[in-house]
Structure formats: C-alpha cells, structure tokens
Amino acid sequence: MGDCIYCGRPAGLLRKFHPECKERYENTWNTMIYKAKSSALGLSQMDNLENELRNLAKQGYVPEHKIREAIVSGWEEAVQHFLEDGQLDKQEEEKLLKFIQYFGLSQYELDKNGMYTRLVQAAVLRDVLEGKVPQRLTVAGTLPFNFQKNESLVWVFKSVKYYEQRTRREYVGASQGVSIRIARGVYYRVGGFKGYPIEKVEKVHVDTGMLAITTKHIYFHGSVKSFRIPYSKIVSFTPYSDGFGINKDAASAKPQIFETGDGWFVYNLVVNLARGDFN
Ligand SMILES: [Zn+2]
C-alpha cells in the first residue's frame, strides 16, 4: 500500500494519492498564482505576499520551493493581462518592474516563457506610438547590415522565414483597414492576431535569415537574398498571427511575407514606424 504523495498518509491499494488531496493541491496552486498575479497587477500589497503564499502552500501540500515559481507565474499572468486589455501604459510597466525588484526576480526566470521579452516589446511599441525612438535593444556582436547614419535600429529577429506570395491577390489583410498613408497610431491588441497564420497564404519559401527593423527601413539578410526596403515604398501591411506581409509600390512587385513567429509585435512595430514620424 502506497502513501499519498500529498498528505503522506496511506492512500489505499494501488493508489498514489487521495483524490481530495490532489484537488486541494491544485486549488491551492491556482490560488497562489492568483494572489501573486493580483499583487503584480498592483491590486494587493507585495509585502505580505510571500507569507501568504507560504501559509497557503503548507495547507495545500505545495512544496516550499514552488513559492517562487508561483510568484513568477503570477507576474507572467499580470503581463498577459495588461497586454490583452490594450496597450501597456507607463504605470502598468512600472508596477511590473516594481514587482520584479521587490522579489529579486531575474530576467532568466521571467523569460522562460518569453514574457520578459514581451514586456520589453510592449514598451518598444509604446515608445514608437509616442513618436520616440526606442533604445531598448542591445545587440551582441556585429550585424550583417549596412545601416545608414540617420536611422536607428529598433529590433532584430533571427531565423525569420522569408516568403514571396505566388499570386498577387486583393489584399487579404485589407479587412483590418490598414493603409499606412492615412493610419495614425494604429495599435492592434494581442487578441487580434489569433487565427490568421501565414501558412494559409499561397507562397514560396525563398530564404531564412535575419530581419532588422530600423526607423527607416526593413532589412533582410539570408543566404540567398539580402535586401532593404524603405517604408516609403510600402503601400500596405498585412497582419498574420506569426508574422506580417508587405505590398510594395510597383505594380510588378510580389507580396513579401516575413515569418517572425509573432505577428502582434512586428506588425504593430512596422506599421507605426512607417507612419512618417521617423522618416
Ligand atoms: Zn492524501
């Protein structure tokens, strides 16, 4: 007869746990994350959180080493919450940073699911929407691009798949009403990018390489193709859940598509950089 992995008392023949203990553990764990989340959102005090989580953990069979994990998960959920309800504003960013400092959380811990990167990206988008040149990217090593003196690098994506669309159709993304000539401070929420993947487009995979976004151009560098496109030559952008597409000025130009893995950030970034304030 085995002992219950939660309470340690005999669990009965061929059983590893009491169902009610498992339930208690899961409820406790969810409550812990919820408490951490509301604290990261600034809805409850931070100074008592650790104590509260410790007490909960004891009662709900959650091992003590999981307390930190609950704090990190709560922070991640808070980031998600702020992003889903719209653009991340300065106060929201400050709340999230205060929480990081208070609990001494590392970038490594916070970025295991990419949420720290998302927070930086949201801050970059806010800069751009406010007409500021973002200075939040540090690049290790040299990049294969020949940037111009009067432009600033905003972001770099690695291992980006570059496609050309087979046939020039009427713009699929036009339903979003995006035209850079008239758009002012366009911002699409995270939720708006669900369900429009690049794979649905009829396309040819041309190359895979690095994509750099600057205040004036989109740069691509692959093993076969390298090019630079000024925003002024782009007529429209198409949002995808995993990247973005562009249509250039020339009638003969094929639609070009870049798969970065995340459409929300890159699409909002290029659309707003192209608005004109930075050119
Ligand atoms: Zn038990």
Side-chain angles (χ1 to χ4, degrees):
M1 206 155 75
D3 289 339
C4 171
I5 56 167
Y6 299 107
C7 72
R9 290 190 284 271
L13 199 61
L14 297 175
R15 291 213 308 196
K16 288 195 174 80
F17 54 82
H18 304 109
E20 61 274 21
C21 288
K22 184 175 198 266
E23 201 187 330
R24 187 156 152 190
Y25 169 88
E26 280 165 1
N27 288 340
T28 303
W29 179 241
N30 291 335
T31 307
M32 287 169 70
I33 293 175
Y34 180 80
K35 294 254 179 203
K37 176 186 174 181
S38 62
S39 171
L41 288 172
L43 300 173
S44 57
Q45 297 291 324
M46 287 187 290
D47 32 10
N48 203 35
L49 179 65
E50 227 164 338
N51 263 334
E52 236 182 311
L53 295 184
R54 187 158 287 121
N55 289 336
L56 277 167
K58 251 182 232 156
Q59 293 159 26
Y61 312 124
V62 175
E64 205 171 319
H65 71 262
K66 298 264 285 182
I67 290 172
R68 197 171 173 88
E69 199 182 313
I71 291 175
V72 170
S73 297
W75 182 86
E76 289 175 333
E77 289 198 3
V79 176
Q80 196 68 36
H81 175 93
F82 283 145
L83 291 180
E84 269 167 11
D85 87 336
Q87 212 196 316
L88 180 84
D89 65 37
K90 190 95 191 97
Q91 285 88 338
E92 291 171 336
E93 186 188 353
E94 274 162 11
K95 281 174 192 164
L96 293 167
L97 295 177
K98 225 170 104 185
F99 190 84
I100 293 175
Q101 273 179 348
Y102 188 87
F103 293 104
L105 306 173
S106 70
Q107 276 189 34
Y108 173 77
E109 286 174 286
L110 298 171
D111 214 26
K112 274 187 183 154
N113 298 309
M115 289 315 278
Y116 189 84
T117 299
R118 284 224 137 189
L119 175 66
V120 178
Q121 289 177 336
V124 164
L125 289 180
R126 193 181 63 234
D127 286 344
V128 171
L129 283 161
E130 287 174 357
K132 292 184 214 154
V133 175
Q135 315 251 319
R136 297 175 192 262
L137 183 76
T138 4
V139 180
T142 50
L143 294 173
F145 304 108
N146 182 23
F147 295 125
Q148 294 180 344
K149 280 207 179 75
N150 56 353
E151 68 183 333
S152 304
L153 177 64
V154 178
W155 203 266
V156 177
F157 299 90
K158 286 173 186 163
S159 309
V160 173
K161 283 189 179 155
Y162 167 60
Y163 303 95
E164 284 173 6
Q165 203 164 314
R166 249 178 233 278
T167 45
R168 192 181 173 95
R169 301 187 205 162
E170 283 313 296
Y171 308 146
V172 186
S175 61
Q176 297 256 24
V178 179
S179 161
I180 59 153
R181 305 272 184 235
I182 51 164
R184 282 277 172 267
V186 193
Y187 178 79
Y188 290 107
R189 294 176 184 196
V190 172
F193 286 83
K194 286 172 187 156
Y196 301 97
I198 286 168
E199 61 191 50
K200 302 233 166 104
V201 183
E202 210 183 308
K203 65 205 187 309
V204 182
H205 179 213
V206 180
D207 206 350
T208 298
M210 206 180 262
L211 181 76
I213 307 297
T214 78
T215 44
K216 290 184 186 297
H217 300 94
I218 291 170
Y219 288 78
F220 179 81
H221 179 87
S223 49
V224 190
K225 277 208 165 183
S226 288
F227 53 85
R228 168 171 74 200
I229 306 165
Y231 294 121
S232 57
K233 291 269 181 268
I234 301 171
V235 178
S236 72
F237 294 93
T238 309
Y240 294 108
S241 53
D242 46 1
F244 71 105
I246 57 170
N247 287 283
K248 280 193 299 200
D249 225 346
S252 59
K254 285 196 188 84
Q256 294 165 291
I257 301 162
F258 303 91
E259 189 184 316
T260 58
D262 174 25
W264 161 77
F265 173 60
V266 73
Y267 176 77
N268 278 313
L269 187 63
V270 291
V271 163
N272 286 292
L273 284 169
R275 277 188 309 147
D277 296 5
F278 300 92
N279 294 284

